[in-house]
Amino acid sequence: MSVWEVVAILIAGVGAGAINAVVGSGTLITFPTLVAFGFAPVTATMTNAVGLVAGGVSGTWGYRRELRGQWPRLRWQIPASFVGALIGSWLLLHLPEKAFETIVPVLLVLALALVIFQPRIQRWTASRMASAPVDDNNDTVLSPARLALVTGATLLVGIYGGYFTAAQGILLMGAMGVLVSDNLQRLNAAKNLLSLIVNVVAAVTYTIVAFDRIDWAAAGLIAIGSLLGGVIGAKYGRKLSPSALRGVIVLVGLIGLWRLLV
């Protein structure tokens, strides 16, 4: 890699780590960056999943206080994310690479659309929220039917995330926002944890099964950048302009989409 590519990938990692901690679509920074530099889409996805684990750890740790009281729901969502990530990783490794190259532009357009319409999703989510019922331990309570729906939605997002990680956080926030009556910042903390689980499972799977298909230099740069970005996002992310973040994500995503199509 040239010095320019090293710097660009490192900066993309910082941006992705920060954005993942706050919004949940940081992959739309790093994935198109790798593709723009000539990485094959499957290689870019695997490298990206490995590199962003570090940022997921720092972002989740930064939101650790907001995780308190969510265990009754998370004890079902965590296994769902784990299983979903395994299924998605299996699909990525076993479906023909041509199929991935065909599907990814569609997924990328969907992810970009979710980023663009995220403010409306959040407003709609907030309008449906009321004070969450709690038990004697101050843990949020869901009915069995709603808990099953949340768990099923988490499984589906985990499959998507194991196959193509971009915007899985927005999908999770949308699903949980509709089904769970809780504070958005607390849901964001849960999103960070569940997305981290998906990335860890995917990264370990790719490392074991396809070690030679991962670009470890690029993964290392993304890991360093995303680790720092996750800390920055958790600490200062709420002060950043959401419109500016979305603009950067959409711009880089469109560049990556153009690179994929041509």
CSV table of all heavy atoms in Angstrom, one decimal, residues 207-255:
chain,number,residue,atom,x,y,z
A,207,THR,N,-11.3,-15.5,10.2
A,207,THR,CA,-9.9,-15.8,10.5
A,207,THR,C,-9.6,-17.3,10.5
A,207,THR,O,-8.6,-17.7,10.0
A,207,THR,CB,-9.6,-15.2,11.9
A,207,THR,OG1,-9.8,-13.8,11.9
A,207,THR,CG2,-8.1,-15.5,12.2
A,208,ILE,N,-10.6,-18.1,11.0
A,208,ILE,CA,-10.4,-19.5,11.0
A,208,ILE,C,-10.5,-20.2,9.6
A,208,ILE,O,-9.7,-21.0,9.2
A,208,ILE,CB,-11.4,-20.2,12.0
A,208,ILE,CG1,-11.1,-19.8,13.4
A,208,ILE,CG2,-11.3,-21.7,11.9
A,208,ILE,CD1,-12.1,-20.2,14.4
A,209,VAL,N,-11.5,-19.8,8.9
A,209,VAL,CA,-11.8,-20.4,7.6
A,209,VAL,C,-11.1,-19.8,6.5
A,209,VAL,O,-10.8,-20.5,5.5
A,209,VAL,CB,-13.3,-20.4,7.4
A,209,VAL,CG1,-13.7,-21.1,6.1
A,209,VAL,CG2,-14.0,-21.1,8.6
A,210,ALA,N,-10.9,-18.5,6.5
A,210,ALA,CA,-10.4,-17.8,5.3
A,210,ALA,C,-9.2,-16.8,5.7
A,210,ALA,O,-9.2,-15.7,5.3
A,210,ALA,CB,-11.5,-17.0,4.6
A,211,PHE,N,-8.3,-17.3,6.5
A,211,PHE,CA,-7.2,-16.5,7.0
A,211,PHE,C,-6.5,-15.8,5.8
A,211,PHE,O,-6.1,-14.6,5.9
A,211,PHE,CB,-6.2,-17.3,7.8
A,211,PHE,CG,-5.1,-16.6,8.4
A,211,PHE,CD1,-5.3,-16.1,9.7
A,211,PHE,CD2,-3.9,-16.3,7.8
A,211,PHE,CE1,-4.2,-15.3,10.3
A,211,PHE,CE2,-2.9,-15.6,8.4
A,211,PHE,CZ,-3.0,-15.1,9.6
A,212,ASP,N,-6.2,-16.5,4.7
A,212,ASP,CA,-5.4,-16.0,3.6
A,212,ASP,C,-6.2,-15.0,2.8
A,212,ASP,O,-5.6,-14.3,1.9
A,212,ASP,CB,-4.9,-17.1,2.8
A,212,ASP,CG,-6.0,-18.0,2.2
A,212,ASP,OD1,-7.1,-18.0,2.8
A,212,ASP,OD2,-5.8,-18.6,1.1
A,213,ARG,N,-7.5,-14.8,3.0
A,213,ARG,CA,-8.3,-13.9,2.2
A,213,ARG,C,-8.5,-12.6,2.8
A,213,ARG,O,-9.1,-11.6,2.3
A,213,ARG,CB,-9.7,-14.5,1.9
A,213,ARG,CG,-9.6,-15.8,1.1
A,213,ARG,CD,-10.9,-16.4,0.8
A,213,ARG,NE,-11.7,-15.6,-0.1
A,213,ARG,CZ,-13.0,-15.9,-0.5
A,213,ARG,NH1,-13.6,-17.0,0.0
A,213,ARG,NH2,-13.6,-15.1,-1.4
A,214,ILE,N,-7.9,-12.4,4.1
A,214,ILE,CA,-8.0,-11.2,4.8
A,214,ILE,C,-6.7,-10.4,4.6
A,214,ILE,O,-5.6,-10.9,4.6
A,214,ILE,CB,-8.2,-11.4,6.3
A,214,ILE,CG1,-9.5,-12.2,6.6
A,214,ILE,CG2,-8.1,-10.1,7.1
A,214,ILE,CD1,-9.6,-12.7,8.0
A,215,ASP,N,-6.9,-9.1,4.3
A,215,ASP,CA,-5.7,-8.2,4.2
A,215,ASP,C,-5.4,-7.7,5.6
A,215,ASP,O,-6.0,-6.8,6.1
A,215,ASP,CB,-6.0,-7.1,3.2
A,215,ASP,CG,-4.7,-6.3,2.9
A,215,ASP,OD1,-4.1,-5.7,3.8
A,215,ASP,OD2,-4.3,-6.2,1.7
A,216,TRP,N,-4.4,-8.3,6.2
A,216,TRP,CA,-4.1,-8.1,7.6
A,216,TRP,C,-3.5,-6.7,7.8
A,216,TRP,O,-3.7,-6.1,8.9
A,216,TRP,CB,-3.2,-9.2,8.2
A,216,TRP,CG,-4.0,-10.4,8.3
A,216,TRP,CD1,-4.0,-11.5,7.4
A,216,TRP,CD2,-4.9,-10.8,9.3
A,216,TRP,NE1,-4.8,-12.5,7.9
A,216,TRP,CE2,-5.4,-12.0,9.0
A,216,TRP,CE3,-5.4,-10.1,10.5
A,216,TRP,CZ2,-6.4,-12.7,9.8
A,216,TRP,CZ3,-6.3,-10.7,11.3
A,216,TRP,CH2,-6.8,-12.0,10.9
A,217,ALA,N,-2.8,-6.1,6.9
A,217,ALA,CA,-2.3,-4.8,7.0
A,217,ALA,C,-3.4,-3.8,7.1
A,217,ALA,O,-3.4,-2.9,8.0
A,217,ALA,CB,-1.3,-4.5,5.9
A,218,ALA,N,-4.4,-3.9,6.2
A,218,ALA,CA,-5.5,-3.0,6.2
A,218,ALA,C,-6.4,-3.2,7.4
A,218,ALA,O,-6.8,-2.2,8.0
A,218,ALA,CB,-6.3,-3.2,4.9
A,219,ALA,N,-6.5,-4.5,7.8
A,219,ALA,CA,-7.3,-4.8,9.0
A,219,ALA,C,-6.7,-4.1,10.3
A,219,ALA,O,-7.4,-3.6,11.1
A,219,ALA,CB,-7.4,-6.3,9.2
A,220,GLY,N,-5.3,-4.2,10.3
A,220,GLY,CA,-4.6,-3.5,11.4
A,220,GLY,C,-4.8,-2.0,11.5
A,220,GLY,O,-5.0,-1.4,12.5
A,221,LEU,N,-4.8,-1.4,10.3
A,221,LEU,CA,-5.0,0.0,10.2
A,221,LEU,C,-6.4,0.4,10.7
A,221,LEU,O,-6.6,1.4,11.4
A,221,LEU,CB,-4.7,0.5,8.8
A,221,LEU,CG,-3.3,0.5,8.3
A,221,LEU,CD1,-3.2,0.8,6.8
A,221,LEU,CD2,-2.4,1.5,9.1
A,222,ILE,N,-7.4,-0.4,10.2
A,222,ILE,CA,-8.7,-0.1,10.6
A,222,ILE,C,-8.9,-0.3,12.1
A,222,ILE,O,-9.6,0.5,12.8
A,222,ILE,CB,-9.7,-1.0,9.8
A,222,ILE,CG1,-9.7,-0.6,8.3
A,222,ILE,CG2,-11.1,-0.9,10.3
A,222,ILE,CD1,-10.5,-1.5,7.4
A,223,ALA,N,-8.3,-1.3,12.6
A,223,ALA,CA,-8.4,-1.6,14.1
A,223,ALA,C,-7.8,-0.4,14.9
A,223,ALA,O,-8.5,0.0,15.9
A,223,ALA,CB,-7.6,-2.9,14.4
A,224,ILE,N,-6.7,0.1,14.5
A,224,ILE,CA,-6.1,1.2,15.3
A,224,ILE,C,-7.0,2.4,15.2
A,224,ILE,O,-7.3,3.1,16.2
A,224,ILE,CB,-4.7,1.5,14.7
A,224,ILE,CG1,-3.7,0.3,15.0
A,224,ILE,CG2,-4.1,2.8,15.3
A,224,ILE,CD1,-2.4,0.5,14.2
A,225,GLY,N,-7.4,2.7,13.9
A,225,GLY,CA,-8.3,3.9,13.7
A,225,GLY,C,-9.6,3.7,14.4
A,225,GLY,O,-10.1,4.7,15.1
A,226,SER,N,-10.2,2.6,14.3
A,226,SER,CA,-11.6,2.4,14.9
A,226,SER,C,-11.5,2.4,16.4
A,226,SER,O,-12.5,2.8,17.1
A,226,SER,CB,-12.2,1.1,14.4
A,226,SER,OG,-11.6,0.0,14.8
A,227,LEU,N,-10.4,1.9,17.0
A,227,LEU,CA,-10.3,1.9,18.5
A,227,LEU,C,-10.3,3.3,19.0
A,227,LEU,O,-11.0,3.6,19.9
A,227,LEU,CB,-9.0,1.2,18.9
A,227,LEU,CG,-8.7,1.1,20.4
A,227,LEU,CD1,-9.8,0.2,21.1
A,227,LEU,CD2,-7.3,0.5,20.6
A,228,LEU,N,-9.5,4.2,18.3
A,228,LEU,CA,-9.5,5.6,18.7
A,228,LEU,C,-10.9,6.2,18.4
A,228,LEU,O,-11.4,7.0,19.2
A,228,LEU,CB,-8.4,6.3,17.9
A,228,LEU,CG,-8.3,7.8,18.1
A,228,LEU,CD1,-8.1,8.2,19.6
A,228,LEU,CD2,-7.2,8.4,17.2
A,229,GLY,N,-11.4,5.9,17.2
A,229,GLY,CA,-12.7,6.5,16.9
A,229,GLY,C,-13.8,6.1,17.8
A,229,GLY,O,-14.7,6.9,18.1
A,230,GLY,N,-13.8,4.9,18.3
A,230,GLY,CA,-14.9,4.4,19.2
A,230,GLY,C,-14.8,5.2,20.5
A,230,GLY,O,-15.9,5.6,21.1
A,231,VAL,N,-13.6,5.5,21.0
A,231,VAL,CA,-13.5,6.3,22.2
A,231,VAL,C,-14.0,7.8,22.0
A,231,VAL,O,-14.7,8.3,22.8
A,231,VAL,CB,-12.0,6.4,22.7
A,231,VAL,CG1,-11.8,7.4,23.8
A,231,VAL,CG2,-11.5,5.0,23.0
A,232,ILE,N,-13.6,8.3,20.8
A,232,ILE,CA,-14.1,9.7,20.5
A,232,ILE,C,-15.6,9.7,20.3
A,232,ILE,O,-16.2,10.6,20.8
A,232,ILE,CB,-13.4,10.1,19.2
A,232,ILE,CG1,-11.9,10.3,19.4
A,232,ILE,CG2,-14.0,11.5,18.7
A,232,ILE,CD1,-11.1,10.6,18.1
A,233,GLY,N,-16.1,8.7,19.6
A,233,GLY,CA,-17.6,8.7,19.4
A,233,GLY,C,-18.4,8.6,20.6
A,233,GLY,O,-19.4,9.3,20.8
A,234,ALA,N,-17.9,7.7,21.6
A,234,ALA,CA,-18.6,7.5,22.8
A,234,ALA,C,-18.6,8.8,23.7
A,234,ALA,O,-19.5,9.1,24.4
A,234,ALA,CB,-18.0,6.3,23.6
A,235,LYS,N,-17.5,9.5,23.6
A,235,LYS,CA,-17.3,10.7,24.4
A,235,LYS,C,-17.9,12.0,23.8
A,235,LYS,O,-18.5,12.7,24.5
A,235,LYS,CB,-15.8,10.9,24.7
A,235,LYS,CG,-15.5,12.0,25.8
A,235,LYS,CD,-14.1,12.0,26.2
A,235,LYS,CE,-13.8,13.0,27.3
A,235,LYS,NZ,-12.4,13.0,27.7
A,236,TYR,N,-17.7,12.2,22.5
A,236,TYR,CA,-18.1,13.4,21.9
A,236,TYR,C,-19.1,13.3,20.8
A,236,TYR,O,-19.6,14.3,20.3
A,236,TYR,CB,-16.8,14.1,21.3
A,236,TYR,CG,-15.7,14.4,22.3
A,236,TYR,CD1,-14.6,13.7,22.3
A,236,TYR,CD2,-15.9,15.4,23.2
A,236,TYR,CE1,-13.5,13.9,23.2
A,236,TYR,CE2,-14.9,15.7,24.1
A,236,TYR,CZ,-13.7,14.9,24.1
A,236,TYR,OH,-12.7,15.2,25.0
A,237,GLY,N,-19.5,12.1,20.5
A,237,GLY,CA,-20.3,11.8,19.4
A,237,GLY,C,-21.7,12.5,19.4
A,237,GLY,O,-22.2,13.0,18.4
A,238,ARG,N,-22.2,12.7,20.6
A,238,ARG,CA,-23.5,13.3,20.7
A,238,ARG,C,-23.5,14.8,20.4
A,238,ARG,O,-24.5,15.4,20.2
A,238,ARG,CB,-24.1,13.1,22.2
A,238,ARG,CG,-24.3,11.7,22.6
A,238,ARG,CD,-24.9,11.6,24.0
A,238,ARG,NE,-25.0,10.2,24.4
A,238,ARG,CZ,-24.0,9.6,25.1
A,238,ARG,NH1,-22.9,10.2,25.4
A,238,ARG,NH2,-24.2,8.3,25.5
A,239,LYS,N,-22.3,15.4,20.4
A,239,LYS,CA,-22.1,16.8,20.1
A,239,LYS,C,-21.9,17.1,18.6
A,239,LYS,O,-22.0,18.3,18.2
A,239,LYS,CB,-20.9,17.4,20.9
A,239,LYS,CG,-21.0,17.2,22.4
A,239,LYS,CD,-19.8,17.7,23.1
A,239,LYS,CE,-19.9,17.5,24.6
A,239,LYS,NZ,-18.7,17.9,25.3
A,240,LEU,N,-21.7,16.1,17.9
A,240,LEU,CA,-21.4,16.3,16.4
A,240,LEU,C,-22.7,16.4,15.7
A,240,LEU,O,-23.8,16.0,16.1
A,240,LEU,CB,-20.7,15.1,15.8
A,240,LEU,CG,-19.3,14.8,16.4
A,240,LEU,CD1,-18.7,13.6,15.8
A,240,LEU,CD2,-18.3,16.0,16.2
A,241,SER,N,-22.7,17.1,14.6
A,241,SER,CA,-23.8,17.3,13.7
A,241,SER,C,-24.2,16.1,13.0
A,241,SER,O,-23.5,15.5,12.2
A,241,SER,CB,-23.6,18.4,12.7
A,241,SER,OG,-24.5,18.4,11.7
A,242,PRO,N,-25.4,15.5,13.3
A,242,PRO,CA,-25.9,14.3,12.6
A,242,PRO,C,-25.9,14.5,11.1
A,242,PRO,O,-25.6,13.6,10.3
A,242,PRO,CB,-27.3,14.0,13.2
A,242,PRO,CG,-27.3,14.7,14.5
A,242,PRO,CD,-26.4,16.0,14.3
A,243,SER,N,-26.3,15.7,10.6
A,243,SER,CA,-26.4,16.0,9.2
A,243,SER,C,-25.0,15.8,8.5
A,243,SER,O,-24.9,15.3,7.4
A,243,SER,CB,-27.0,17.3,9.0
A,243,SER,OG,-28.3,17.4,9.5
A,244,ALA,N,-24.0,16.4,9.2
A,244,ALA,CA,-22.6,16.3,8.7
A,244,ALA,C,-22.2,14.9,8.6
A,244,ALA,O,-21.6,14.4,7.6
A,244,ALA,CB,-21.7,17.1,9.5
A,245,LEU,N,-22.5,14.1,9.6
A,245,LEU,CA,-22.1,12.7,9.6
A,245,LEU,C,-22.8,11.9,8.5
A,245,LEU,O,-22.1,11.2,7.7
A,245,LEU,CB,-22.5,12.0,10.9
A,245,LEU,CG,-21.6,12.3,12.1
A,245,LEU,CD1,-22.1,11.7,13.4
A,245,LEU,CD2,-20.2,11.8,11.9
A,246,ARG,N,-24.1,12.2,8.3
A,246,ARG,CA,-24.8,11.5,7.3
A,246,ARG,C,-24.3,11.9,5.9
A,246,ARG,O,-24.2,11.1,5.0
A,246,ARG,CB,-26.3,11.8,7.4
A,246,ARG,CG,-27.0,10.9,8.4
A,246,ARG,CD,-28.5,11.1,8.3
A,246,ARG,NE,-28.9,12.4,8.6
A,246,ARG,CZ,-29.1,12.8,9.9
A,246,ARG,NH1,-28.9,12.0,10.9
A,246,ARG,NH2,-29.5,14.1,10.1
A,247,GLY,N,-23.9,13.2,5.7
A,247,GLY,CA,-23.4,13.6,4.5
A,247,GLY,C,-22.1,12.9,4.1
A,247,GLY,O,-21.9,12.5,2.9
A,248,VAL,N,-21.2,12.7,5.1
A,248,VAL,CA,-19.9,12.1,4.8
A,248,VAL,C,-20.2,10.6,4.4
A,248,VAL,O,-19.6,10.0,3.5
A,248,VAL,CB,-19.0,12.2,6.0
A,248,VAL,CG1,-17.8,11.3,5.8
A,248,VAL,CG2,-18.6,13.6,6.2
A,249,ILE,N,-21.1,10.0,5.2
A,249,ILE,CA,-21.4,8.5,5.0
A,249,ILE,C,-21.9,8.3,3.6
A,249,ILE,O,-21.5,7.4,2.8
A,249,ILE,CB,-22.4,8.0,6.0
A,249,ILE,CG1,-21.7,8.0,7.4
A,249,ILE,CG2,-22.9,6.6,5.7
A,249,ILE,CD1,-22.7,7.7,8.5
A,250,VAL,N,-22.9,9.2,3.2
A,250,VAL,CA,-23.6,9.0,1.9
A,250,VAL,C,-22.5,9.3,0.8
A,250,VAL,O,-22.5,8.6,-0.2
A,250,VAL,CB,-24.8,10.0,1.8
A,250,VAL,CG1,-25.3,10.0,0.4
A,250,VAL,CG2,-25.9,9.5,2.8
A,251,LEU,N,-21.7,10.3,0.9
A,251,LEU,CA,-20.7,10.6,-0.1
A,251,LEU,C,-19.8,9.5,-0.3
A,251,LEU,O,-19.5,9.0,-1.5
A,251,LEU,CB,-19.9,11.9,0.3
A,251,LEU,CG,-18.8,12.3,-0.7
A,251,LEU,CD1,-19.3,12.6,-2.1
A,251,LEU,CD2,-18.1,13.5,-0.1
A,252,VAL,N,-19.2,9.0,0.8
A,252,VAL,CA,-18.2,7.9,0.6
A,252,VAL,C,-18.9,6.6,0.1
A,252,VAL,O,-18.4,5.8,-0.7
A,252,VAL,CB,-17.5,7.6,2.0
A,252,VAL,CG1,-16.6,6.4,1.9
A,252,VAL,CG2,-16.8,8.8,2.4
A,253,GLY,N,-20.2,6.4,0.6
A,253,GLY,CA,-20.9,5.2,0.1
A,253,GLY,C,-21.2,5.3,-1.3
A,253,GLY,O,-21.1,4.2,-2.0
A,254,LEU,N,-21.5,6.4,-1.9
A,254,LEU,CA,-21.8,6.6,-3.3
A,254,LEU,C,-20.5,6.4,-4.1
A,254,LEU,O,-20.5,5.8,-5.2
A,254,LEU,CB,-22.3,8.0,-3.6
A,254,LEU,CG,-23.8,8.2,-3.1
A,254,LEU,CD1,-24.2,9.7,-3.4
A,254,LEU,CD2,-24.7,7.3,-3.9
A,255,ILE,N,-19.4,6.8,-3.6
A,255,ILE,CA,-18.1,6.5,-4.2
A,255,ILE,C,-17.8,5.0,-4.3
A,255,ILE,O,-17.4,4.5,-5.4
A,255,ILE,CB,-16.9,7.3,-3.5
A,255,ILE,CG1,-17.1,8.8,-3.7
A,255,ILE,CG2,-15.6,6.8,-4.1
A,255,ILE,CD1,-16.1,9.6,-2.8
